[in-house]
Amino acid sequence: MKTTFIGRTAESAAADYLKKQGFKILGRNWRTRFCEIDIIASKNKSVYFVEVKYRNNDGQGKGLDYVTDKKLTQMRFAAENWVRENDWNGDYQLSAIEVFGDDFEITGFVENIY
């Protein structure tokens, strides 16, 4: 499978999971020249900027293990850009979701990773 297809399928699985948990999906694959956000969702008057991490197997670690300090810095930068561009004055959180295997199972979700 091509990585673009895998990434989109993992993001779709993550979005479906979030909807089942009561989140409203505000956007997917939001981008600027400098940053990107996989999923933007809302719940209980808060916006969640969700990084999707897919792993086919855990031979190189779990997906959430790859949310490093560098990735958190990139996520904060992207979230701040979205907040500014959309004049959002409410609460927001950085989140991550782990998608695993050929069946794209959700194996982890951290609502407030920051």
Side-chain angles (χ1 to χ4, degrees):
M1 278 191 265
K2 292 190 176 188
T3 57
T4 302
F5 174 78
I6 291 170
R8 297 280 187 244
T9 304
E11 288 171 2
S12 290
D16 290 345
Y17 172 85
L18 291 169
K19 287 180 207 172
K20 289 176 185 171
Q21 301 302 312
F23 288 83
K24 178 182 176 188
I25 305 301
L26 303 177
R28 289 179 51 186
N29 298 305
W30 181 85
R31 297 179 190 283
T32 72
R33 285 180 37 190
F34 307 105
C35 58
E36 62 93 17
I37 301 169
D38 293 332
I39 298 174
I40 304 164
S42 67
K43 185 177 179 181
N44 299 329
K45 299 180 183 179
S46 189
V47 171
Y48 295 78
F49 299 98
V50 184
E51 177 70 14
V52 178
K53 290 296 187 187
Y54 171 80
R55 291 294 173 266
N56 186 45
N57 61 60
D58 56 6
Q60 294 183 334
K62 302 282 187 185
L64 293 177
D65 295 340
Y66 287 83
V67 182
T68 62
D69 288 340
K70 180 179 179 181
K71 180 45 113 174
L72 285 171
T73 298
Q74 292 169 341
M75 290 173 68
R76 274 192 294 276
F77 178 79
E80 289 166 1
N81 274 277
W82 187 93
V83 164
R84 191 170 37 258
E85 185 176 297
N86 290 275
D87 295 321
W88 178 254
N89 294 316
D91 292 332
Y92 65 93
Q93 298 182 49
L94 303 180
S95 302
I97 195 164
E98 181 179 82
V99 184
F100 184 80
D102 293 335
D103 59 351
F104 296 90
E105 177 186 358
I106 305 303
T107 55
F109 176 52
V110 180
E111 283 192 37
N112 189 0
I113 200 164
Y114 166 66

